Amino acid sequence: MKQKHNYIAIFSILLTIFFSFSLLDIKNTEVTSLRSGELNEATIFSSSTQLSTPLIIDGSATGLNANNWTKAIQDGWVTGQGTSTDPYLIDAIEVDTANLGNALTIQNSKNVYFVINNSEFNAGDDYSALELVNTANGTITGSSFAGSKHGIFLNGGTMQNTISQNKIRENDYGIKFGFMSMANMIMSNGISDNDIFGAFSEPSASNNMISMNYFLRNPIHAKDNSSIGNMWNLTMMGNFWDDYNGEDKDTNSIGDDPYAITGEIKDFLPIFNHDPMIMPIMNHSYIFESTENIVNWTVFDMISFDAFYEVYQNGELILSGDDWTPEEIVINIDGLEVGSYNFTLIVFDGLGGINSNQIDVSVVNNNNMLYVFIGILVVFVGILLFIKIRKG
């Protein structure tokens, strides 16, 4: 009889282990998901302030009504203090001067810090959307510079500015490095559809870093006349050129041959594979009628240039969006009936690159919880019997 009790106890313990692992499988399955333009509907073109007269900031100007940073703050289109921790901020403005002058000129400003963000500039055929003259310490990001002679013109000793994640398109010159412009960082911009050059450097410009940009549909992507030299690639990668005709035999996403720019000046590490990346995703299970269940994906590309995405549930399109950036697209999946589902994300980078990922979702019945409860009860009884047998 005692041996029989031992079998019951062992059987109960095994049942407990089994049901405990079942519970862990239900509770601890990871939820992973997507991210994209769905959460970025307020794109860089959602400007809240529209202006039609040329904007000028002269950092050295003094006197009554001088067009300096203080005046720009008083006029209401600049905030901040100009320090490294609280830079002057030009944010969410739209400027179209219709060929009356540069949309925005900042000059003689080297001792303060400033940021241009989330804005749109258009000047017309004879002027620059943005011209920086003798200016440093600027960060220009998330903005559009279009429909002008120069999208961005760096001139007159402009140095140590960072220009990234912008759309520079449909100008004569996308970005121009003018007289003595030096040590500026031009990274992760979309430079496209410009009529003459995507990027152009005068002889006196030097040591500008141009890397991780997408050059698309420009008649001549780049011409570099610098007598000292600019840098067209980092140590890991250069730029994407849509007319690159080299190969990538080692499949490391970097072209095996350099991209020729001007004479001996080359991008030695041209980007070959520009497919967007989707972080590894795991499947997901949840209990029927529970709430706050999601699937989401983290998507990354160096720049989302006219990008878009689609999400399918069991092959049916349920969501689409555009202009995704390195963030997360999240979908609530509450309310599904008991059963199996799949959610597929397809992302397009606007350059011909594409990637996809599927998440399988299982919705399980609440009865599973009953089985877990029974297992726990059997274990409890088994433990009591085991204790009794030991004492007997």
Side-chain angles (χ1 to χ4, degrees), residues 166-212:
N166 301 286
K167 294 182 178 181
I168 307 170
R169 59 169 68 178
E170 299 174 357
N171 307 283
D172 287 344
Y173 296 77
I175 184 165
K176 184 174 181 179
F177 301 94
F179 178 73
M180 295 295 289
S181 60
M182 299 180 290
N184 298 286
M185 299 282 289
I186 317 299
M187 300 181 66
S188 299
N189 300 281
I191 304 174
S192 72
D193 302 295
N194 297 286
D195 291 339
I196 301 176
F197 295 105
F200 179 86
S201 174
E202 293 184 354
S204 61
S206 64
N207 294 310
N208 296 290
M209 169 59 73
I210 307 103
S211 184
M212 298 171 64

Side-chain angles (χ1 to χ4, degrees), residues 4 20 33 59 62 80 93 96 134 140 163 175 188 192 194 209 217 221 263 266 269 287 294 340 357 363:
K4 182 178 179 181
S20 297
S33 346
T62 58
I93 66 172
D96 187 344
N134 190 34
I140 296 97
I163 299 170
I175 184 165
S188 299
S192 72
N194 297 286
M209 169 59 73
R217 302 180 297 273
H221 285 321
K266 299 177 181 180
L269 299 170
I287 298 171
I294 62 170
S340 298
N357 185 267
V363 182

Side-chain angles (χ1 to χ4, degrees), residues 106-155:
I106 301 177
Q107 60 192 32
N108 302 320
S109 180
K110 283 191 170 181
N111 299 317
V112 299
Y113 294 82
F114 68 92
V115 173
I116 299 172
N117 179 58
N118 194 38
S119 298
E120 184 175 1
F121 301 89
N122 186 313
D125 295 340
D126 298 329
Y127 296 94
S128 301
L130 171 65
E131 183 168 355
L132 303 182
V133 183
N134 190 34
T135 291
N137 304 321
T139 299
I140 296 97
T141 185
S143 297
S144 171
F145 303 90
S148 308
K149 182 175 182 179
H150 307 110
I152 298 178
F153 188 11
L154 308 178
N155 202 12

Side-chain angles (χ1 to χ4, degrees), residues 224 226 229-230 232-233 258-268:
D224 190 344
S226 173
N230 296 298
W232 292 87
N233 56 265
Y259 180 86
I261 296 172
T262 305
E264 296 300 314
I265 300 174
K266 299 177 181 180
D267 177 350
F268 291 96

